[in-house]
Amino acid sequence: MSNATVSTKPVQSSALGRIFSDSATLIKRNLTHIKNNPDQLLSMVLQPVMFMLLFRYVFGGAINTGGTSYVNFLTAGILVQGAAFGATTTALGVATDLQRGIIDRFRSLPMFSSAVLIGHVTADLVRNTVSSAIMIGVGLMVGFRPEANLVEWLMAAGILLLFTFAISWLSAILGLLSKSIEAVQWFSFIAIFPLTFASSAFVPTDGMPAGLRWFAENQPITHVIEALRALLVGTPIDNHGWLAVVWCLGAIAVSVPLTAYLFRRYSK
Amino acid sequence: MPNGNAIIVKGLRKSYGKTEVLKGVDLVVEKGTMLALLGPNGAGKTTVVRILSTLLSHDGGEASVNGYDTATQSNEVRSVIGLTGQYAAVDEYLTGRQNLLMMGRLYRLSAAGARQRAEELLEQFDLVDAANRVVKKYSGGMRRRLDLAISLIATPPIIFLDEPTTGLDPRSRLAMWDVIRKLMDSGATILLTTQYLEEADQLADKIAVIDQGRVIAEGTADELKQKVGSDRLELTMATDADFAKAEKIVSGDNKQTHPKRRVISIATSGGVSGLNAVLSSLENAGVTVETLSLHKPTLDDVFLHLTGHGAEAEEHEPNIEETHV
Ligand SMILES: Nc1ncnc2c1ncn2[C@@H]1O[C@H](COP(=O)(O)OP(=O)(O)OP(=O)(O)O)[C@@H](O)[C@H]1O
Ligand SMILES: [Mg+2]
């Protein structure tokens, strides 16, 4: 039955080769999940689109954004909030792998175990790229008029991806620490909701009470939003650009080794 | 032919917090043979399998697989084992074929090699029709078959099967036995756990009985049966009244009574005179015996003899579907 020309025995390869090929295999796994389970992508896209329309038409008229139009102000906020919510899919995916036993299978294989996390995080980047493109499309239909040139578009995309990457790794920590899939769901909800609303995503921070305003103006999500906004519609960038990058890189520098550690410790 | 031991476990200990679940387990599995680890719920079967397959670290003793230490050479161990855990470890959002291809690649097969093995296994496990369906839509039995197929994709020489037939219907169980027998014919070394005495008896070369974290007996099925020492006489009474009377009259080693079935059984030396004595004392008391049978001890008897409680006393079959809700 065995075809003589094909070897069905394991082949040897270098440690580095393993890291790349296992990561590629697991990335393919998570991308296939998107394809086999399109509902998830759909619900991820629908929420920000709904927010976009709600804020644009229901609240927009009552919010004063100074020089720029409200849709122009809003789009950066929606993109960042969508990316943050989207990246919590990693927490859910990691928790599901741990709770439903497939992690036992992975851990009994001679593989590079962090590839499991890399697969989830990479799938987040792909999902968020798709959903961000859709959100920008919807924005354009309801009056979003970006002024960015090609370089600014690329920088904006870079910051959004870097932010997604950072949140995905942070949410991998959440997935590794949580005791149940439901806990992940409510925790990512109560973490992301206040953080994205207590920012400059939907309204300028000027009107907030002093303490909240200080928080909103100095928290990382605002830096990311303001950097994106500046690149897309030309609002002043101030320190936001490099602060956004520093925050994201810092989060990645902490969370990548931490997830690797937690992952190895799991079930010891 | 026997050529050394594939699995060696010596004085293995494991505690969860203050609860000691393995209290010094010793096992050896010769290359190319099957050992059945037989024990009731909570005996420690899964814990042993998880330690041997490097999923769990142990607190004391030694465990080696193919000469590799499970604690310090986990990668080497992983490259020679296939694990089918108690609960199917498959990816719900991939199809059966995608699951096999992914695991084949992670087991270091070439892309073409993984494809070929996947098709062979889909065929062998009767999953060709379901190959392109996501596993979420599989039945419990299909998941189990896929799970076993996955663990065989790299044709590992050593295979762990943790309760491979629990939760299967009788037909699927027989089919699974067939598959396991073929694995044995192909020369694999297998450690199988089960709560079913019949399964161990049917499949395994050797049986280790484990209870409360200790191996309490070890040997071939026949050796274990010999421990009980004698044949059993089983008497079924005609009526409940007969049963009540007979219960007082019949005495013997290792007596068991089943009031619902009106059955009394005792160990006998097998001699005709002993049999006669029992029957005539019942006849004298006016008890009507409906049926009488004499049989070789089963592993159930062995278990009762060794532990003082039945192996399948707390019959509990984890529902495979349930674990995925
Ligand atoms: N993660 C854990 N934390 C605490 N106790 C555990 C854990 N896993 C298992 N145990 C305990 O260890 C003992 C042995 O469990 P194990 O799963 O090895 O039994 P088993 O023989 O496989 O039983 P079953 O037939 O029900 O699968 C049980 O008492 C169980 O409650
Ligand atoms: Mg078990």
Side-chain angles (χ1 to χ4, degrees):
Chain A
M1 177 139 169
S2 214
N3 181 339
T5 60
V6 176
S7 164
T8 53
K9 289 271 170 258
V11 288
Q12 292 304 319
S13 62
S14 68
L16 198 65
R18 299 292 311 152
I19 292 180
F20 280 108
S21 77
D22 289 348
S23 300
T25 304
L26 269 295
I27 289 170
K28 187 171 168 203
R29 167 197 185 217
N30 287 88
L31 295 181
T32 313
H33 282 184
I34 302 178
K35 204 179 94 198
N36 288 357
N37 188 21
D39 290 358
Q40 195 193 34
L41 182 62
L42 190 69
S43 67
M44 238 191 75
V45 172
L46 277 182
Q47 185 193 316
V49 165
M50 225 171 62
F51 271 55
M52 167 85 92
L53 298 177
L54 270 178
F55 275 85
R56 162 76 176 86
Y57 291 107
V58 180
F59 302 114
I63 299 170
N64 180 5
T65 49
T68 186
S69 79
Y70 186 65
V71 207
N72 277 354
F73 179 89
L74 176 68
T75 305
I78 293 282
L79 283 171
V80 171
Q81 191 189 46
F85 268 115
T88 61
T89 314
T90 288
L92 212 58
V94 170
T96 306
D97 283 352
L98 297 191
Q99 314 287 331
R100 303 244 168 120
I102 192 165
I103 205 72
D104 284 352
R105 168 73 67 200
F106 290 138
R107 291 181 67 248
S108 73
L109 295 177
M111 64 178 280
F112 166 60
S113 59
S114 290
V116 176
L117 302 173
I118 291 171
H120 284 294
V121 169
T122 309
D124 267 352
L125 291 180
V126 172
R127 258 192 308 263
N128 271 340
T129 305
V130 173
S131 65
S132 299
I134 294 175
M135 277 183 267
I136 289 171
V138 173
L140 291 172
M141 283 191 282
V142 298
F144 172 51
R145 293 294 170 261
E147 294 162 12
N149 59 31
L150 183 65
V151 173
E152 286 166 332
W153 269 113
L154 290 178
M155 283 166 69
I159 288 186
L160 195 58
L161 283 178
L162 186 68
F163 174 71
T164 305
F165 197 64
I167 300 274
S168 291
W169 280 110
L170 288 172
S171 81
I173 298 177
L174 173 62
L176 285 164
L177 288 176
S178 65
K179 296 277 177 275
S180 75
I181 294 164
E182 290 70 25
V184 174
Q185 271 162 333
W186 69 254
F187 192 85
S188 43
F189 187 77
I190 62 162
I192 303 286
F193 239 96
L195 274 178
T196 50
F197 274 96
S199 75
S200 68
F202 302 101
V203 291
T205 52
D206 320 359
M208 299 179 183
L212 180 61
R213 179 174 171 181
W214 182 88
F215 174 78
E217 284 177 355
N218 292 289
Q219 66 129 324
I221 292 188
T222 295
H223 294 312
V224 176
I225 294 169
E226 288 301 330
L228 215 57
R229 193 171 276 152
L231 289 165
L232 293 180
V233 298
T235 51
I237 193 157
D238 301 329
N239 286 333
H240 296 302
W242 66 268
L243 280 173
V245 172
V246 166
W247 268 107
C248 291
L249 291 178
I252 293 165
V254 171
S255 53
V256 170
L258 186 58
T259 50
Y261 165 76
L262 289 172
F263 199 60
R264 250 176 294 139
R265 198 202 55 171
Y266 182 79
S267 101
K268 275 289 171 187
Chain B
M1 278 293 98
N3 45 2
N5 294 321
I7 300 172
I8 302 173
V9 174
K10 273 192 204 138
L12 194 66
R13 293 179 173 276
K14 174 74 188 174
S15 304
Y16 288 109
K18 288 205 177 74
T19 342
E20 197 174 26
V21 299
L22 298 182
K23 303 167 186 165
V25 170
D26 299 299
L27 291 173
V28 289
V29 187
E30 236 172 63
K31 273 199 178 126
T33 69
M34 181 197 287
L35 175 79
L37 198 54
L38 172 68
N41 286 135
K45 305 182 292 295
T46 298
T47 308
V48 170
V49 168
R50 288 178 68 85
I51 291 172
L52 286 172
S53 50
T54 76
L55 297 182
L56 203 61
S57 59
H58 51 275
D59 306 330
E62 290 165 36
S64 76
V65 174
N66 216 27
Y68 303 122
D69 189 294
T70 58
T72 58
Q73 295 174 293
S74 52
N75 258 318
E76 286 84 350
V77 172
R78 288 171 191 178
S79 60
V80 294
I81 63 167
L83 167 68
T84 304
Q86 186 163 2
Y87 304 106
V90 291
D91 190 323
E92 306 247 302
Y93 294 103
L94 296 182
T95 66
R97 182 178 276 118
Q98 286 165 347
N99 262 286
L100 284 163
L101 291 175
M102 170 174 75
M103 300 302 182
R105 295 294 280 154
L106 294 176
Y107 263 118
R108 308 188 185 189
L109 300 187
S110 67
R115 265 198 303 277
Q116 179 176 325
R117 280 298 285 156
E119 297 314 315
E120 286 172 11
L121 288 163
L122 287 168
E123 188 85 37
Q124 186 185 346
F125 285 84
D126 196 18
L127 288 168
V128 174
D129 292 337
N132 292 328
R133 235 184 292 156
V134 285
V135 171
K136 214 172 163 44
K137 295 179 183 160
Y138 277 25
S139 73
M142 291 160 78
R143 270 170 214 262
R144 271 234 153 274
R145 292 207 301 274
L146 178 64
D147 197 39
L148 180 55
I150 289 171
S151 60
L152 302 181
I153 192 137
T155 5
I158 297 170
I159 300 164
F160 298 107
L161 302 171
D162 195 359
E163 301 197 24
T165 64
T166 300
L168 296 188
D169 63 29
R171 196 183 64 94
S172 310
R173 173 168 303 172
L174 289 178
M176 187 63 89
W177 283 4
D178 266 353
V179 169
I180 294 172
R181 286 198 184 99
K182 283 200 188 103
L183 278 178
M184 300 202 54
D185 293 343
S186 75
T189 305
I190 302 179
L191 177 69
L192 168 135
T193 80
T194 181
Q195 305 181 30
Y196 302 110
L197 306 157
E198 191 198 353
E199 188 160 287
D201 197 359
Q202 286 276 333
L203 297 174
D205 299 300
K206 282 212 175 125
I207 299 172
V209 184
I210 182 171
D211 190 41
Q212 297 174 15
R214 277 200 184 86
V215 174
I216 54 173
E218 211 184 342
T220 63
D222 285 338
E223 281 165 6
L224 290 180
K225 285 172 188 168
Q226 272 166 22
K227 287 207 172 178
V228 183
S230 51
D231 295 355
R232 289 194 74 80
L233 171 64
E234 191 175 290
L235 301 158
T236 308
M237 309 306 155
T239 66
D240 287 342
D242 289 325
F243 177 81
K245 272 191 238 167
E247 207 180 351
K248 296 194 190 84
I249 298 163
V250 179
S251 66
D253 280 350
N254 211 342
K255 177 170 146 187
Q256 288 173 44
T257 56
H258 306 274
K260 278 203 193 105
R261 286 161 44 216
R262 302 186 305 278
V263 168
I264 298 175
S265 72
I266 53 167
T268 75
S269 57
V272 177
S273 58
L275 204 68
N276 255 337
V278 174
L279 289 178
S280 54
S281 65
L282 286 173
E283 200 175 334
N284 291 342
V287 174
T288 317
V289 176
E290 193 177 83
T291 62
L292 167 160
S293 64
L294 197 61
H295 63 95
K296 295 269 173 220
T298 66
L299 284 170
D300 264 314
D301 302 322
V302 175
F303 208 89
L304 196 75
H305 180 78
L306 291 169
T307 66
H309 58 83
E312 290 169 293
E314 21 171 358
E315 182 75 40
H316 153 80
E317 298 202 0
N319 181 341
I320 291 179
E321 287 296 337
E322 213 172 74
T323 65
H324 290 277
V325 172

